[in-house]
Amino acid sequence: MTTTRFAPSPTGYIHVGNLRTALMNYLIARKSGGTFILRIDDTDPVRSKQEYVDGIQRDLEWLGLTWDKVERQSERLDRYVAAADKLREMGRFYECFETPVELDLKRKKQLNMGKPPVYDRAALALSDADRDALRAERGDGHWRFMLNQTRIEWTDGILGDLSIDAASVSDPVLIKQDGQFLYTLASVVDDVEMGVTHVVRGSDHVTNTATQIQIMEALGGTPPSFAHHSLLTGPQGESLSKRLGTLALRDLREAGIEPGALLSLMSRLGSSQPVELRTSLDEIAEGFDVSQFGSAPTKFDVDDLYPLTGRLLHDLPLADVAADLAAAGVPADKAEAVWSVIHDNITTRKDIATWWDMFANGADPVIDDEDREFVSQAMAMLPEGALDGDSWGGWTKAVKEATGRKGRGLFMPLRKALTGQSHGPDMSAVLPLLQVIKAKG
């Protein structure tokens, strides 16, 4: 059975970059009828916060990305201890005592000599007495996995055949000096023990994947099928790293972006398939194919989400927006009429309140100087009493006969005077909904 996972760190809120990873793994599982695991990477006790765990789950639920089970790495520390012990027994795990400053000096020296900045394995030459002395002086060291310095090869689901020379990669640190297990080890143990069959993540993890394949094999596990998607950039190709804080899913939700719009875009962005608005995750999953994605950096423009959101809202039935209409103050007996008029003219649900405010309280009229006398004359001719669907036609016909104006010169000044806008719904439907007409007075 296909098993995938999304493993966010609860040190912040999910942004669009995280969503891309979560969505791809979710769709692979759902398309095959498999299992999708939400795995909280909370091995860092200082930076991990419950509020972020709650936020991650809330964001995924908003999108409909439901998980089959949830795991917390902080509850699996004993499994990582056992894996570390096994690697020590195999002679593949060794303790190092260099400080960050010493490691940085080593890297700079290697670069100055034209060599790759790879850890020199100096700790392997330490005697037991040396280690005891360093431990007494500096405390416990950090632990590295000793790579077999061969080529690590796999067929990537997006990037194709990959081959990395392990000799060009530093032995990865798996346990920090303070005893914290790092992602590289915890993820390997979890993927093996949870039977994860497919992993999709960003292309910045390619080197991690190479080292994790060796760790998995050392622990007797079978590596899953890996696929590495491209990283997102801004619309001009600029780095998104400084903007991701403003592209958190909770911020997009607050801005009025619809889940279906976000999912439709992110499930196709960077692939050879066109972006098409889909109304359900089943539809999205049916057309999803990870092999259709490319390796080139993928441009993301948040403004692309608004037309998709608007198109999705245009087709919603009254029942799906009844609560929004009520929240905006629209009386129940007017909800159907209001929605029928505005549904093609909103971009987000927030626009409902704007339209109702105009209907209920009147709009600030926009009247060009050359139209001022005409508008004043027309307003004086506006029928008294209740207005209906025939009122606009009858009124404008009378105004045309009285003033000689016709076409755009007749209709546009009246629209702008009544609604403060130069475009919008059919005025024959708008006029009956206007509770206050400011331009008349």
Side-chain angles (χ1 to χ4, degrees), residues 99-126:
T99 66
V101 171
E102 290 169 341
L103 289 173
D104 187 52
L105 289 174
K106 284 188 177 186
R107 283 190 291 267
K108 289 178 178 178
K109 182 177 180 180
Q110 289 169 317
L111 288 170
N112 288 336
M113 296 172 63
K115 297 180 179 180
V118 175
Y119 179 63
D120 59 9
R121 293 183 168 177
L124 289 175
L126 297 174

PDB file of all heavy atoms in Angstrom, residues 99-126:
ATOM      1  N   THR A  99      34.180  22.730  17.794  1.00  0.00           N
ATOM      2  CA  THR A  99      33.223  23.816  18.013  1.00  0.00           C
ATOM      3  C   THR A  99      32.782  24.361  16.653  1.00  0.00           C
ATOM      4  O   THR A  99      33.456  24.134  15.634  1.00  0.00           O
ATOM      5  CB  THR A  99      33.853  24.956  18.819  1.00  0.00           C
ATOM      6  OG1 THR A  99      34.897  25.548  18.029  1.00  0.00           O
ATOM      7  CG2 THR A  99      34.420  24.436  20.135  1.00  0.00           C
ATOM      8  N   PRO A 100      31.679  25.096  16.599  1.00  0.00           N
ATOM      9  CA  PRO A 100      31.264  25.715  15.329  1.00  0.00           C
ATOM     10  C   PRO A 100      32.353  26.598  14.730  1.00  0.00           C
ATOM     11  O   PRO A 100      32.535  26.622  13.511  1.00  0.00           O
ATOM     12  CB  PRO A 100      30.029  26.538  15.731  1.00  0.00           C
ATOM     13  CG  PRO A 100      29.460  25.800  16.899  1.00  0.00           C
ATOM     14  CD  PRO A 100      30.650  25.277  17.655  1.00  0.00           C
ATOM     15  N   VAL A 101      33.101  27.299  15.586  1.00  0.00           N
ATOM     16  CA  VAL A 101      34.173  28.169  15.078  1.00  0.00           C
ATOM     17  C   VAL A 101      35.271  27.330  14.430  1.00  0.00           C
ATOM     18  O   VAL A 101      35.786  27.660  13.349  1.00  0.00           O
ATOM     19  CB  VAL A 101      34.757  29.030  16.218  1.00  0.00           C
ATOM     20  CG1 VAL A 101      36.009  29.775  15.735  1.00  0.00           C
ATOM     21  CG2 VAL A 101      33.707  30.018  16.722  1.00  0.00           C
ATOM     22  N   GLU A 102      35.644  26.221  15.077  1.00  0.00           N
ATOM     23  CA  GLU A 102      36.690  25.352  14.524  1.00  0.00           C
ATOM     24  C   GLU A 102      36.248  24.731  13.197  1.00  0.00           C
ATOM     25  O   GLU A 102      37.048  24.637  12.246  1.00  0.00           O
ATOM     26  CB  GLU A 102      37.035  24.257  15.532  1.00  0.00           C
ATOM     27  CG  GLU A 102      37.781  24.786  16.758  1.00  0.00           C
ATOM     28  CD  GLU A 102      37.899  23.756  17.872  1.00  0.00           C
ATOM     29  OE1 GLU A 102      37.116  22.772  17.875  1.00  0.00           O
ATOM     30  OE2 GLU A 102      38.775  23.925  18.737  1.00  0.00           O
ATOM     31  N   LEU A 103      34.995  24.331  13.124  1.00  0.00           N
ATOM     32  CA  LEU A 103      34.493  23.753  11.869  1.00  0.00           C
ATOM     33  C   LEU A 103      34.487  24.795  10.756  1.00  0.00           C
ATOM     34  O   LEU A 103      34.818  24.494   9.607  1.00  0.00           O
ATOM     35  CB  LEU A 103      33.084  23.196  12.084  1.00  0.00           C
ATOM     36  CG  LEU A 103      32.976  21.936  12.942  1.00  0.00           C
ATOM     37  CD1 LEU A 103      31.516  21.606  13.222  1.00  0.00           C
ATOM     38  CD2 LEU A 103      33.652  20.753  12.230  1.00  0.00           C
ATOM     39  N   ASP A 104      34.128  26.017  11.108  1.00  0.00           N
ATOM     40  CA  ASP A 104      34.105  27.089  10.114  1.00  0.00           C
ATOM     41  C   ASP A 104      35.516  27.369   9.591  1.00  0.00           C
ATOM     42  O   ASP A 104      35.716  27.578   8.389  1.00  0.00           O
ATOM     43  CB  ASP A 104      33.509  28.346  10.729  1.00  0.00           C
ATOM     44  CG  ASP A 104      33.287  29.453   9.703  1.00  0.00           C
ATOM     45  OD1 ASP A 104      32.655  29.170   8.663  1.00  0.00           O
ATOM     46  OD2 ASP A 104      33.759  30.583   9.929  1.00  0.00           O
ATOM     47  N   LEU A 105      36.496  27.360  10.477  1.00  0.00           N
ATOM     48  CA  LEU A 105      37.885  27.582  10.053  1.00  0.00           C
ATOM     49  C   LEU A 105      38.359  26.462   9.130  1.00  0.00           C
ATOM     50  O   LEU A 105      39.060  26.702   8.141  1.00  0.00           O
ATOM     51  CB  LEU A 105      38.793  27.685  11.283  1.00  0.00           C
ATOM     52  CG  LEU A 105      38.647  28.958  12.116  1.00  0.00           C
ATOM     53  CD1 LEU A 105      39.485  28.870  13.395  1.00  0.00           C
ATOM     54  CD2 LEU A 105      39.080  30.173  11.289  1.00  0.00           C
ATOM     55  N   LYS A 106      37.959  25.228   9.443  1.00  0.00           N
ATOM     56  CA  LYS A 106      38.316  24.096   8.575  1.00  0.00           C
ATOM     57  C   LYS A 106      37.731  24.277   7.179  1.00  0.00           C
ATOM     58  O   LYS A 106      38.406  24.032   6.169  1.00  0.00           O
ATOM     59  CB  LYS A 106      37.822  22.783   9.184  1.00  0.00           C
ATOM     60  CG  LYS A 106      38.639  22.269  10.349  1.00  0.00           C
ATOM     61  CD  LYS A 106      38.176  20.873  10.743  1.00  0.00           C
ATOM     62  CE  LYS A 106      39.036  20.301  11.865  1.00  0.00           C
ATOM     63  NZ  LYS A 106      38.705  18.890  12.167  1.00  0.00           N
ATOM     64  N   ARG A 107      36.460  24.673   7.125  1.00  0.00           N
ATOM     65  CA  ARG A 107      35.803  24.849   5.828  1.00  0.00           C
ATOM     66  C   ARG A 107      36.496  25.929   5.008  1.00  0.00           C
ATOM     67  O   ARG A 107      36.733  25.762   3.807  1.00  0.00           O
ATOM     68  CB  ARG A 107      34.323  25.200   6.035  1.00  0.00           C
ATOM     69  CG  ARG A 107      33.454  23.997   6.406  1.00  0.00           C
ATOM     70  CD  ARG A 107      31.985  24.349   6.358  1.00  0.00           C
ATOM     71  NE  ARG A 107      31.601  25.270   7.418  1.00  0.00           N
ATOM     72  CZ  ARG A 107      31.124  24.876   8.589  1.00  0.00           C
ATOM     73  NH1 ARG A 107      30.980  23.590   8.859  1.00  0.00           N
ATOM     74  NH2 ARG A 107      30.785  25.780   9.502  1.00  0.00           N
ATOM     75  N   LYS A 108      36.837  27.040   5.652  1.00  0.00           N
ATOM     76  CA  LYS A 108      37.495  28.142   4.947  1.00  0.00           C
ATOM     77  C   LYS A 108      38.867  27.715   4.429  1.00  0.00           C
ATOM     78  O   LYS A 108      39.261  28.077   3.308  1.00  0.00           O
ATOM     79  CB  LYS A 108      37.627  29.354   5.873  1.00  0.00           C
ATOM     80  CG  LYS A 108      36.291  30.035   6.153  1.00  0.00           C
ATOM     81  CD  LYS A 108      36.459  31.210   7.113  1.00  0.00           C
ATOM     82  CE  LYS A 108      35.123  31.904   7.353  1.00  0.00           C
ATOM     83  NZ  LYS A 108      35.231  33.022   8.330  1.00  0.00           N
ATOM     84  N   LYS A 109      39.576  26.943   5.228  1.00  0.00           N
ATOM     85  CA  LYS A 109      40.906  26.474   4.800  1.00  0.00           C
ATOM     86  C   LYS A 109      40.784  25.570   3.593  1.00  0.00           C
ATOM     87  O   LYS A 109      41.571  25.689   2.627  1.00  0.00           O
ATOM     88  CB  LYS A 109      41.587  25.739   5.958  1.00  0.00           C
ATOM     89  CG  LYS A 109      42.991  25.252   5.636  1.00  0.00           C
ATOM     90  CD  LYS A 109      43.636  24.593   6.845  1.00  0.00           C
ATOM     91  CE  LYS A 109      45.047  24.105   6.508  1.00  0.00           C
ATOM     92  NZ  LYS A 109      45.685  23.445   7.687  1.00  0.00           N
ATOM     93  N   GLN A 110      39.795  24.673   3.595  1.00  0.00           N
ATOM     94  CA  GLN A 110      39.606  23.772   2.465  1.00  0.00           C
ATOM     95  C   GLN A 110      39.222  24.539   1.203  1.00  0.00           C
ATOM     96  O   GLN A 110      39.721  24.249   0.109  1.00  0.00           O
ATOM     97  CB  GLN A 110      38.528  22.730   2.806  1.00  0.00           C
ATOM     98  CG  GLN A 110      38.986  21.701   3.833  1.00  0.00           C
ATOM     99  CD  GLN A 110      37.827  20.856   4.345  1.00  0.00           C
ATOM    100  OE1 GLN A 110      36.756  21.383   4.626  1.00  0.00           O
ATOM    101  NE2 GLN A 110      38.048  19.557   4.474  1.00  0.00           N
ATOM    102  N   LEU A 111      38.356  25.522   1.360  1.00  0.00           N
ATOM    103  CA  LEU A 111      37.952  26.317   0.202  1.00  0.00           C
ATOM    104  C   LEU A 111      39.138  27.092  -0.359  1.00  0.00           C
ATOM    105  O   LEU A 111      39.299  27.197  -1.586  1.00  0.00           O
ATOM    106  CB  LEU A 111      36.827  27.279   0.612  1.00  0.00           C
ATOM    107  CG  LEU A 111      35.453  26.643   0.870  1.00  0.00           C
ATOM    108  CD1 LEU A 111      34.493  27.652   1.491  1.00  0.00           C
ATOM    109  CD2 LEU A 111      34.872  26.096  -0.431  1.00  0.00           C
ATOM    110  N   ASN A 112      39.965  27.639   0.516  1.00  0.00           N
ATOM    111  CA  ASN A 112      41.145  28.374   0.050  1.00  0.00           C
ATOM    112  C   ASN A 112      42.112  27.467  -0.696  1.00  0.00           C
ATOM    113  O   ASN A 112      42.868  27.931  -1.565  1.00  0.00           O
ATOM    114  CB  ASN A 112      41.867  29.020   1.245  1.00  0.00           C
ATOM    115  CG  ASN A 112      41.093  30.196   1.822  1.00  0.00           C
ATOM    116  OD1 ASN A 112      40.295  30.812   1.131  1.00  0.00           O
ATOM    117  ND2 ASN A 112      41.334  30.497   3.095  1.00  0.00           N
ATOM    118  N   MET A 113      42.083  26.169  -0.373  1.00  0.00           N
ATOM    119  CA  MET A 113      42.963  25.200  -1.044  1.00  0.00           C
ATOM    120  C   MET A 113      42.296  24.601  -2.288  1.00  0.00           C
ATOM    121  O   MET A 113      42.864  23.725  -2.930  1.00  0.00           O
ATOM    122  CB  MET A 113      43.345  24.081  -0.067  1.00  0.00           C
ATOM    123  CG  MET A 113      44.166  24.562   1.131  1.00  0.00           C
ATOM    124  SD  MET A 113      44.393  23.253   2.378  1.00  0.00           S
ATOM    125  CE  MET A 113      45.320  22.038   1.437  1.00  0.00           C
ATOM    126  N   GLY A 114      41.076  25.089  -2.578  1.00  0.00           N
ATOM    127  CA  GLY A 114      40.378  24.582  -3.757  1.00  0.00           C
ATOM    128  C   GLY A 114      39.750  23.223  -3.548  1.00  0.00           C
ATOM    129  O   GLY A 114      39.441  22.518  -4.516  1.00  0.00           O
ATOM    130  N   LYS A 115      39.545  22.855  -2.290  1.00  0.00           N
ATOM    131  CA  LYS A 115      38.953  21.556  -1.977  1.00  0.00           C
ATOM    132  C   LYS A 115      37.510  21.744  -1.525  1.00  0.00           C
ATOM    133  O   LYS A 115      37.149  22.800  -0.990  1.00  0.00           O
ATOM    134  CB  LYS A 115      39.748  20.861  -0.862  1.00  0.00           C
ATOM    135  CG  LYS A 115      41.185  20.525  -1.234  1.00  0.00           C
ATOM    136  CD  LYS A 115      41.881  19.849  -0.067  1.00  0.00           C
ATOM    137  CE  LYS A 115      43.321  19.482  -0.420  1.00  0.00           C
ATOM    138  NZ  LYS A 115      44.018  18.824   0.724  1.00  0.00           N
ATOM    139  N   PRO A 116      36.670  20.714  -1.688  1.00  0.00           N
ATOM    140  CA  PRO A 116      35.287  20.828  -1.189  1.00  0.00           C
ATOM    141  C   PRO A 116      35.286  20.890   0.335  1.00  0.00           C
ATOM    142  O   PRO A 116      36.077  20.209   0.988  1.00  0.00           O
ATOM    143  CB  PRO A 116      34.615  19.541  -1.697  1.00  0.00           C
ATOM    144  CG  PRO A 116      35.742  18.589  -1.947  1.00  0.00           C
ATOM    145  CD  PRO A 116      36.901  19.420  -2.374  1.00  0.00           C
ATOM    146  N   PRO A 117      34.422  21.715   0.923  1.00  0.00           N
ATOM    147  CA  PRO A 117      34.397  21.884   2.384  1.00  0.00           C
ATOM    148  C   PRO A 117      33.716  20.708   3.082  1.00  0.00           C
ATOM    149  O   PRO A 117      32.612  20.821   3.595  1.00  0.00           O
ATOM    150  CB  PRO A 117      33.609  23.189   2.564  1.00  0.00           C
ATOM    151  CG  PRO A 117      32.692  23.212   1.382  1.00  0.00           C
ATOM    152  CD  PRO A 117      33.451  22.588   0.243  1.00  0.00           C
ATOM    153  N   VAL A 118      34.417  19.588   3.085  1.00  0.00           N
ATOM    154  CA  VAL A 118      33.875  18.347   3.650  1.00  0.00           C
ATOM    155  C   VAL A 118      34.570  18.053   4.972  1.00  0.00           C
ATOM    156  O   VAL A 118      35.793  18.223   5.090  1.00  0.00           O
ATOM    157  CB  VAL A 118      34.072  17.170   2.661  1.00  0.00           C
ATOM    158  CG1 VAL A 118      33.619  15.862   3.283  1.00  0.00           C
ATOM    159  CG2 VAL A 118      33.316  17.437   1.371  1.00  0.00           C
ATOM    160  N   TYR A 119      33.817  17.589   5.957  1.00  0.00           N
ATOM    161  CA  TYR A 119      34.404  17.273   7.256  1.00  0.00           C
ATOM    162  C   TYR A 119      35.513  16.229   7.092  1.00  0.00           C
ATOM    163  O   TYR A 119      35.347  15.212   6.422  1.00  0.00           O
ATOM    164  CB  TYR A 119      33.339  16.758   8.228  1.00  0.00           C
ATOM    165  CG  TYR A 119      33.920  16.390   9.567  1.00  0.00           C
ATOM    166  CD1 TYR A 119      34.525  17.352  10.366  1.00  0.00           C
ATOM    167  CD2 TYR A 119      33.884  15.071  10.029  1.00  0.00           C
ATOM    168  CE1 TYR A 119      35.073  17.013  11.591  1.00  0.00           C
ATOM    169  CE2 TYR A 119      34.427  14.733  11.265  1.00  0.00           C
ATOM    170  CZ  TYR A 119      35.031  15.708  12.035  1.00  0.00           C
ATOM    171  OH  TYR A 119      35.592  15.370  13.245  1.00  0.00           O
ATOM    172  N   ASP A 120      36.661  16.480   7.732  1.00  0.00           N
ATOM    173  CA  ASP A 120      37.865  15.675   7.508  1.00  0.00           C
ATOM    174  C   ASP A 120      37.955  14.407   8.352  1.00  0.00           C
ATOM    175  O   ASP A 120      38.965  13.694   8.321  1.00  0.00           O
ATOM    176  CB  ASP A 120      39.121  16.533   7.734  1.00  0.00           C
ATOM    177  CG  ASP A 120      39.186  17.109   9.158  1.00  0.00           C
ATOM    178  OD1 ASP A 120      38.353  16.710  10.004  1.00  0.00           O
ATOM    179  OD2 ASP A 120      40.060  17.967   9.410  1.00  0.00           O
ATOM    180  N   ARG A 121      36.935  14.123   9.118  1.00  0.00           N
ATOM    181  CA  ARG A 121      36.890  12.921   9.955  1.00  0.00           C
ATOM    182  C   ARG A 121      38.025  12.865  10.983  1.00  0.00           C
ATOM    183  O   ARG A 121      38.475  11.790  11.399  1.00  0.00           O
ATOM    184  CB  ARG A 121      36.915  11.653   9.104  1.00  0.00           C
ATOM    185  CG  ARG A 121      35.664  11.466   8.256  1.00  0.00           C
ATOM    186  CD  ARG A 121      35.682  10.162   7.477  1.00  0.00           C
ATOM    187  NE  ARG A 121      34.352   9.881   6.901  1.00  0.00           N
ATOM    188  CZ  ARG A 121      34.087   8.836   6.117  1.00  0.00           C
ATOM    189  NH1 ARG A 121      35.071   7.971   5.821  1.00  0.00           N
ATOM    190  NH2 ARG A 121      32.877   8.648   5.647  1.00  0.00           N
ATOM    191  N   ALA A 122      38.462  14.053  11.415  1.00  0.00           N
ATOM    192  CA  ALA A 122      39.558  14.102  12.389  1.00  0.00           C
ATOM    193  C   ALA A 122      39.195  13.381  13.680  1.00  0.00           C
ATOM    194  O   ALA A 122      40.065  12.816  14.371  1.00  0.00           O
ATOM    195  CB  ALA A 122      39.912  15.569  12.682  1.00  0.00           C
ATOM    196  N   ALA A 123      37.913  13.363  14.017  1.00  0.00           N
ATOM    197  CA  ALA A 123      37.493  12.746  15.278  1.00  0.00           C
ATOM    198  C   ALA A 123      37.749  11.247  15.303  1.00  0.00           C
ATOM    199  O   ALA A 123      37.868  10.653  16.383  1.00  0.00           O
ATOM    200  CB  ALA A 123      36.007  13.028  15.530  1.00  0.00           C
ATOM    201  N   LEU A 124      37.848  10.634  14.133  1.00  0.00           N
ATOM    202  CA  LEU A 124      38.086   9.185  14.094  1.00  0.00           C
ATOM    203  C   LEU A 124      39.474   8.830  14.616  1.00  0.00           C
ATOM    204  O   LEU A 124      39.722   7.693  15.027  1.00  0.00           O
ATOM    205  CB  LEU A 124      37.916   8.661  12.666  1.00  0.00           C
ATOM    206  CG  LEU A 124      36.474   8.638  12.134  1.00  0.00           C
ATOM    207  CD1 LEU A 124      36.471   8.207  10.666  1.00  0.00           C
ATOM    208  CD2 LEU A 124      35.610   7.698  12.971  1.00  0.00           C
ATOM    209  N   ALA A 125      40.385   9.808  14.597  1.00  0.00           N
ATOM    210  CA  ALA A 125      41.761   9.550  15.041  1.00  0.00           C
ATOM    211  C   ALA A 125      41.934   9.735  16.552  1.00  0.00           C
ATOM    212  O   ALA A 125      43.016   9.469  17.098  1.00  0.00           O
ATOM    213  CB  ALA A 125      42.721  10.478  14.293  1.00  0.00           C
ATOM    214  N   LEU A 126      40.882  10.160  17.221  1.00  0.00           N
ATOM    215  CA  LEU A 126      40.986  10.387  18.672  1.00  0.00           C
ATOM    216  C   LEU A 126      41.052   9.067  19.425  1.00  0.00           C
ATOM    217  O   LEU A 126      40.340   8.113  19.114  1.00  0.00           O
ATOM    218  CB  LEU A 126      39.771  11.188  19.172  1.00  0.00           C
ATOM    219  CG  LEU A 126      39.592  12.615  18.624  1.00  0.00           C
ATOM    220  CD1 LEU A 126      38.268  13.194  19.110  1.00  0.00           C
ATOM    221  CD2 LEU A 126      40.757  13.498  19.064  1.00  0.00           C
TER     222      LEU A 126
END
